[in-house]
Structure formats: structure tokens, C-alpha cells
Amino acid sequence: MDFATAPVHHVRDALRELFRRGVTRVVASLPTLPAPDLLAAVRRLAPLVWEGSLAGLHLEGPFLSRHRCGAQSAEDVLEPGSDRSRRLLESLVQAGRPDHGGPDAQAIVAMTYAPELEGAEWVERALFAAGILPSPGHTDATEAEFSTALQRWTGMQTPGLGLGGTGRHRLPAVTHLFNAMPGFHHRAPGPVPAALRAAARGDLRVELVADGLHVDPDVIQDVLRLVPGAVCVVSDASAATDAPAGTYTLGAVAIETTGNTGNQNSRAPRLAGQPTLASGAVSLDGALRHLLAWGVPLELAVPAVSTTPALTLPSTRRASGWVEWDWDAENGTIAPGPPAVVVPPGAPGT
Ligand SMILES: CC(=O)N[C@@H]1[C@@H](O)[C@H](O)[C@@H](COP(=O)(O)O)O[C@@H]1O
């Protein structure tokens, strides 16, 4: 099911399946699309956020680096500085805002953008003002460009949103750290070390795709040890995630998966006919199983898939109940299949 193009009743079916597996809050990511389609998708899905079915919308673009599109539609990437881009962002913010309610009611919770682009500062200002977190990602930024963007944010915070708050503050998160950005080089460090330093200071959170294919499991564990409270494990899922072999859509682009052939590498969705990774290979319950199988202690793994990512949501959308899994304490693994008990929000102890 492709959030960007599916009718609302298919979205509801997919959410029911995720909730059955123990996922309690879902942020729908919309990829870079032709501007009218993106606006239409926000208009279609925002009511699901207002009614509480979705926890929010994340727009992955369209203000991305043309050099780091990855699986995002390069044709639909826009320069943030143009009048057309300004009008589009204003319309998106408007489409995500309900008739009643403050910035906390905005359906869009985050937008991925490349902070080195000309006009990025305007995007950041507009997003913060609307209660939307700017998420650096799909970026070709140098370390200096990335750090400059973080400094710019300092003057743009609104109450409860921005840098340097308490541990439960709503902070921006880097969109899938390591993927779709320059890697670390000792003479050209790129955004990764700057992001990790900011995360260690408590000024930023970092998303990781923990499917065993996007980032080496040892690197995931290193990041969890370095900045344990800042890691948001995300599925980066698409219609092709956990799906049978076939061709699917990710908004405007065709992607494919070879399904579960027993060779884990073949299971990652890729751009059709190309080697480019296109989305996560497992949904969030699968990511938790991976973390535990790699030996990540339960007390690091569980917050990274639950309470830490929840902190990127407005506080009114964080209470998510509690899920008890059939887990094998001796082997540190959880049993496949649905959780043993899903305790609804508001129940004693949640
Ligand atoms: C939805 C989305 O955009 N997902 C990105 C994809 O675009 C990128 O190609 C891939 C690998 O990036 P990498 O080759 O830089 O590691 O990571 C994520 O799957």
C-alpha cells in the first residue's frame, strides 16, 4: 500500500494490519511527488491525522538535493528559493492545518529537506512557525553547511519545538542517517559526525533504518551506544516492504522487490531495474526483531522503536499504550507474529 497514491480505505486496511502486529502509532511518509499530487495526498490523509488514525504526515521532499535523491523522484525535486516553491509550501501548511486548533494540530509533523540549498533558511523558518519539524536529509551538505543549518535553527524555535529543551522536547530528527547523504571521510567529514555531535548535545535526533541492509548492524549498534537517547528507528517502509515479489509504486516512481527468496539482500525494495535501495526491507516490528537478534539490549532497542521516535510528535499524540511481546528473555528474542497483549492508551500503567 502506497500512502501517496492509495485510496483512504486501503490506508485504513494497512493501518489495521500494522496495529495487529503491535505498531501503535504510524507516521505516513509521502515521497517527492509532482506538486499537485503532493498537495492532493496531504488533503486526502490529513483528516486521518485529525481523527487520530495516523500520528502525522512526513513529507520526504520536495526540497531535496538533486545529487542525493536516492529513490525519490528527481524530476519533482524543487529549489526552495523560487516563488513556486514558496506557494507550494504555504499550500501544504494550509492543507495540514485543521479549521480549529493550534500548531499542535498540524497534520504534517516533519519535512525532509536539504539544508545546503539556497532558500533552505526560508523553508526552516516556515516549518518551525507552522509547528513542523525540519528534517535534514537527502542532502549533499558538507559538515560546515550542516552545522550552519543547526545554528540557524537556534533563533527559530517556537515553544515546545526546537533545540536545547528537556529530554522530552520535540526536536528535529535527521532523515535516515547515513542513507542519501555523503559518507564520512577524514578530510571531508560530511553531515554524519556533525549530526552525531548535535545528537550527543541533545540538540537533534537521528533516524536509522534497521533492516540490516541500509546500515551495517555494527554501525547501528555503535550509534545506539554513542547517542542512545537520540535514536529513532524507522521502517522507511513502502508498498514493497515485507511484500511478495513484484513491482510497486513509491509515489511517482516504480520500485520492485524479489520477495523472500532466502537471500536477505534480494529482499530490499529497489528502484525498478536499478540497484538503488528504495525503502526499508522490514516494518517496525521486524526492525525490533533485528535489533534484538544483533544483541542490542532490550533497554536500548525498545525505546529506539517506541518512546524516542514518539518524541518527534506533538505531545498530544504521544500516548500510545503499551505492547507486550512474547519474548524469550534467555535468548533476547521476540517471537514472530502478533504481540501477546496490546494495552490501549489510558489503561493502568500506560
Ligand atoms: C524512501 C527513500 O527515499 N528511501 C531511501 C532511498 O531513497 C535511498 O536510495 C536508500 C539508500 O541510500 P544510500 O544508497 O545512500 O545508502 O535509503 C532509503 O531507502
Side-chain angles (χ1 to χ4, degrees):
M1 193 280 312
D2 178 26
F3 281 122
T5 52
V8 165
H9 66 276
H10 286 176
V11 174
R12 289 191 194 283
D13 291 345
L15 291 176
R16 252 192 303 278
E17 169 59 19
L18 286 169
F19 296 150
R20 193 188 67 77
R21 295 185 190 191
V23 174
T24 54
R25 283 286 183 273
V26 178
V27 172
S29 283
L30 296 175
T32 295
L33 294 165
D37 297 353
L38 181 59
L39 195 52
V42 171
R43 290 194 174 125
R44 191 167 60 245
L45 296 177
L48 272 70
V49 179
W50 302 327
E51 74 180 30
S53 302
L54 282 170
L57 307 178
H58 158 228
L59 309 190
E60 201 160 344
F63 309 124
L64 306 181
S65 163
R66 291 184 187 281
H67 307 288
R68 299 284 171 180
C69 290
Q72 301 290 329
S73 169
E75 280 170 31
D76 299 310
V77 160
L78 295 176
E79 303 289 336
S82 71
D83 284 348
R84 187 178 162 221
S85 295
R86 284 175 184 240
R87 280 196 303 276
L88 173 63
L89 185 51
E90 280 161 11
S91 304
L92 291 166
V93 167
Q94 176 68 34
R97 189 188 296 142
D99 292 340
H100 305 288
D104 255 20
Q106 168 62 243
I108 303 167
V109 290
M111 176 186 257
T112 298
Y113 79 112
E116 72 278 17
L117 298 179
E118 211 178 312
E121 182 170 352
W122 178 80
V123 173
E124 293 158 352
R125 204 174 289 285
L127 293 177
F128 274 120
I132 301 171
L133 294 175
S135 299
H138 286 274
T139 170
D140 208 29
T142 61
E143 185 188 43
E145 287 166 333
F146 191 90
S147 300
T148 302
L150 297 191
Q151 282 160 17
R152 279 198 304 259
W153 294 356
T154 316
M156 299 181 188
Q157 314 171 43
T158 56
L161 184 122
L163 274 58
T166 66
R168 298 190 59 74
H169 207 59
R170 197 172 163 224
L171 287 181
V174 178
T175 299
H176 43 59
L177 187 71
F178 300 111
N179 301 118
M181 63 185 65
F184 173 76
H185 184 282
H186 53 296
R187 279 188 294 278
V192 171
L196 291 173
R197 273 199 304 275
R201 283 197 307 270
D203 280 347
L204 192 63
R205 296 196 172 99
V206 293
E207 291 181 2
L208 291 175
V209 182
D211 63 357
L213 301 166
H214 274 71
V215 183
D216 188 279
D218 285 342
V219 174
I220 299 249
Q221 291 177 71
D222 288 342
V223 175
L224 274 163
R225 273 191 289 267
L226 272 173
V227 289
V231 174
C232 303
V233 169
V234 294
S235 64
D236 196 43
S238 72
T241 300
D242 266 345
T247 304
Y248 298 84
T249 56
L250 176 70
V253 301
I255 59 173
E256 64 189 5
T257 180
T258 50
N260 190 352
T261 60
N263 171 3
Q264 212 199 21
N265 280 325
S266 66
R267 281 180 45 220
R270 298 186 187 256
L271 277 183
Q274 295 179 42
T276 308
L277 285 170
S279 55
V282 295
S283 56
L284 211 55
D285 53 321
L288 177 57
R289 274 187 207 102
H290 272 311
L291 293 174
L292 297 177
W294 298 333
V296 174
L298 202 67
E299 60 272 21
L300 282 186
V302 170
V305 299
S306 58
T307 46
T308 309
L311 290 174
T312 58
L313 299 173
S315 56
T316 48
R317 293 181 220 168
R318 287 180 194 164
S320 58
W322 188 246
V323 175
E324 289 174 16
W325 295 82
D326 278 325
W327 65 284
D328 176 347
E330 207 166 293
N331 296 312
T333 56
I334 49 173
V341 186
V342 180
V343 183
T350 62

Short mmCIF file of all heavy atoms in Angstrom, two decimals, residues 60 68-72 138 176 178-181 209 214 236 250 276-280, ligand 1:
data_model
loop_
_atom_site.label_atom_id
_atom_site.label_comp_id
_atom_site.label_asym_id
_atom_site.label_seq_id
_atom_site.Cartn_x
_atom_site.Cartn_y
_atom_site.Cartn_z
N GLU A 60 8.70 13.74 2.49
CA GLU A 60 10.10 13.48 2.14
C GLU A 60 10.41 14.26 0.86
O GLU A 60 10.41 13.72 -0.23
CB GLU A 60 10.32 11.97 1.99
CG GLU A 60 11.78 11.59 2.14
CD GLU A 60 11.98 10.13 2.48
OE1 GLU A 60 11.00 9.46 2.89
OE2 GLU A 60 13.10 9.65 2.34
N ARG A 68 21.35 13.68 -4.29
CA ARG A 68 21.10 12.66 -3.26
C ARG A 68 19.62 12.27 -3.24
O ARG A 68 19.04 12.06 -2.18
CB ARG A 68 21.50 13.20 -1.88
CG ARG A 68 22.96 13.56 -1.77
CD ARG A 68 23.83 12.34 -1.63
NE ARG A 68 25.24 12.69 -1.74
CZ ARG A 68 26.23 11.84 -1.65
NH1 ARG A 68 25.99 10.56 -1.44
NH2 ARG A 68 27.48 12.23 -1.79
N CYS A 69 19.02 12.18 -4.41
CA CYS A 69 17.59 11.82 -4.47
C CYS A 69 17.34 10.39 -4.02
O CYS A 69 16.27 10.06 -3.53
CB CYS A 69 17.06 11.97 -5.89
SG CYS A 69 16.96 13.65 -6.39
N GLY A 70 18.32 9.51 -4.25
CA GLY A 70 18.08 8.09 -3.98
C GLY A 70 16.88 7.63 -4.77
O GLY A 70 16.82 7.79 -5.99
N ALA A 71 15.87 7.13 -4.06
CA ALA A 71 14.67 6.62 -4.75
C ALA A 71 13.62 7.70 -4.94
O ALA A 71 12.53 7.41 -5.44
CB ALA A 71 14.09 5.46 -3.95
N GLN A 72 13.90 8.92 -4.53
CA GLN A 72 12.90 9.99 -4.69
C GLN A 72 12.90 10.49 -6.14
O GLN A 72 13.93 10.49 -6.80
CB GLN A 72 13.21 11.16 -3.74
CG GLN A 72 13.24 10.77 -2.26
CD GLN A 72 11.86 10.42 -1.74
OE1 GLN A 72 10.86 10.96 -2.19
NE2 GLN A 72 11.81 9.51 -0.77
N HIS A 138 18.39 13.54 2.54
CA HIS A 138 18.56 13.61 1.08
C HIS A 138 19.39 14.85 0.77
O HIS A 138 18.99 15.72 0.00
CB HIS A 138 17.21 13.61 0.37
CG HIS A 138 16.56 12.26 0.37
ND1 HIS A 138 16.81 11.30 -0.58
CD2 HIS A 138 15.69 11.69 1.24
CE1 HIS A 138 16.10 10.21 -0.32
NE2 HIS A 138 15.42 10.42 0.79
N HIS A 176 16.73 9.26 7.92
CA HIS A 176 17.60 8.07 7.77
C HIS A 176 19.09 8.43 7.66
O HIS A 176 19.66 8.46 6.58
CB HIS A 176 17.13 7.12 6.68
CG HIS A 176 16.67 7.71 5.37
ND1 HIS A 176 17.46 8.49 4.57
CD2 HIS A 176 15.50 7.59 4.70
CE1 HIS A 176 16.81 8.82 3.47
NE2 HIS A 176 15.61 8.29 3.54
N PHE A 178 22.90 8.39 7.40
CA PHE A 178 23.80 7.61 6.54
C PHE A 178 23.23 7.41 5.12
O PHE A 178 23.99 7.41 4.17
CB PHE A 178 24.14 6.21 7.10
CG PHE A 178 24.83 6.23 8.44
CD1 PHE A 178 24.18 5.79 9.58
CD2 PHE A 178 26.14 6.70 8.55
CE1 PHE A 178 24.81 5.81 10.81
CE2 PHE A 178 26.78 6.72 9.78
CZ PHE A 178 26.10 6.27 10.92
N ASN A 179 21.92 7.21 4.99
CA ASN A 179 21.36 6.93 3.66
C ASN A 179 20.98 8.24 2.97
O ASN A 179 20.39 9.12 3.60
CB ASN A 179 20.14 6.02 3.76
CG ASN A 179 20.49 4.69 4.41
OD1 ASN A 179 19.96 4.36 5.46
ND2 ASN A 179 21.39 3.95 3.81
N ALA A 180 21.34 8.33 1.69
CA ALA A 180 21.06 9.50 0.87
C ALA A 180 21.77 10.75 1.40
O ALA A 180 21.21 11.85 1.47
CB ALA A 180 19.54 9.74 0.75
N MET A 181 23.04 10.56 1.79
CA MET A 181 23.90 11.69 2.20
C MET A 181 25.36 11.24 2.07
O MET A 181 25.61 10.02 2.00
CB MET A 181 23.58 12.13 3.63
CG MET A 181 23.83 11.11 4.70
SD MET A 181 23.30 11.68 6.34
CE MET A 181 21.54 11.81 6.14
N VAL A 209 17.49 3.26 9.68
CA VAL A 209 16.72 2.17 9.09
C VAL A 209 17.42 0.87 9.50
O VAL A 209 18.52 0.58 9.05
CB VAL A 209 16.66 2.29 7.55
CG1 VAL A 209 15.81 1.16 6.97
CG2 VAL A 209 16.10 3.63 7.12
N HIS A 214 20.27 -1.37 4.97
CA HIS A 214 20.55 0.06 4.74
C HIS A 214 21.80 0.51 5.48
O HIS A 214 22.53 1.38 4.99
CB HIS A 214 19.36 0.91 5.19
CG HIS A 214 18.31 1.05 4.13
ND1 HIS A 214 17.50 0.03 3.76
CD2 HIS A 214 17.96 2.11 3.35
CE1 HIS A 214 16.68 0.44 2.80
NE2 HIS A 214 16.95 1.70 2.53
N ASP A 236 11.07 3.17 7.22
CA ASP A 236 11.24 3.67 5.84
C ASP A 236 10.49 2.75 4.88
O ASP A 236 10.93 2.47 3.77
CB ASP A 236 12.73 3.74 5.48
CG ASP A 236 13.01 4.60 4.25
OD1 ASP A 236 12.40 5.67 4.15
OD2 ASP A 236 13.81 4.19 3.40
N LEU A 250 6.21 3.89 -5.48
CA LEU A 250 6.57 4.77 -4.37
C LEU A 250 6.25 6.17 -4.90
O LEU A 250 7.09 6.82 -5.51
CB LEU A 250 8.07 4.63 -4.04
CG LEU A 250 8.63 5.55 -2.97
CD1 LEU A 250 8.10 5.18 -1.59
CD2 LEU A 250 10.16 5.50 -2.96
N THR A 276 19.61 0.82 -6.88
CA THR A 276 19.36 1.81 -5.80
C THR A 276 18.33 1.30 -4.79
O THR A 276 17.20 0.95 -5.17
CB THR A 276 18.82 3.13 -6.42
OG1 THR A 276 19.72 3.52 -7.45
CG2 THR A 276 18.68 4.22 -5.38
N LEU A 277 18.72 1.27 -3.52
CA LEU A 277 17.76 0.89 -2.47
C LEU A 277 16.62 1.90 -2.47
O LEU A 277 16.85 3.11 -2.58
CB LEU A 277 18.44 0.92 -1.10
CG LEU A 277 19.40 -0.23 -0.76
CD1 LEU A 277 20.15 0.09 0.53
CD2 LEU A 277 18.63 -1.53 -0.61
N ALA A 278 15.40 1.40 -2.32
CA ALA A 278 14.25 2.31 -2.46
C ALA A 278 13.45 2.48 -1.19
O ALA A 278 12.65 3.42 -1.09
CB ALA A 278 13.35 1.83 -3.59
N SER A 279 13.57 1.58 -0.23
CA SER A 279 12.84 1.71 1.04
C SER A 279 13.25 0.55 1.93
O SER A 279 13.97 -0.36 1.50
CB SER A 279 11.32 1.70 0.80
OG SER A 279 10.95 0.54 0.09
N GLY A 280 12.77 0.58 3.19
CA GLY A 280 13.18 -0.43 4.15
C GLY A 280 12.68 -1.82 3.77
O GLY A 280 11.63 -1.97 3.13
C1 LIG B 1 12.13 6.41 0.66
C2 LIG B 1 13.57 6.74 0.45
O1 LIG B 1 13.90 7.76 -0.12
N1 LIG B 1 14.43 5.89 0.93
C3 LIG B 1 15.88 5.98 0.82
C4 LIG B 1 16.34 5.79 -0.62
O2 LIG B 1 15.96 6.91 -1.37
C5 LIG B 1 17.85 5.63 -0.71
O3 LIG B 1 18.23 5.31 -2.03
C6 LIG B 1 18.28 4.49 0.21
C7 LIG B 1 19.76 4.15 0.22
O4 LIG B 1 20.57 5.25 0.30
P1 LIG B 1 22.15 5.04 0.20
O5 LIG B 1 22.41 4.32 -1.09
O6 LIG B 1 22.71 6.43 0.21
O7 LIG B 1 22.57 4.24 1.39
O8 LIG B 1 17.85 4.81 1.54
C8 LIG B 1 16.44 4.88 1.68
O9 LIG B 1 15.84 3.67 1.28
#
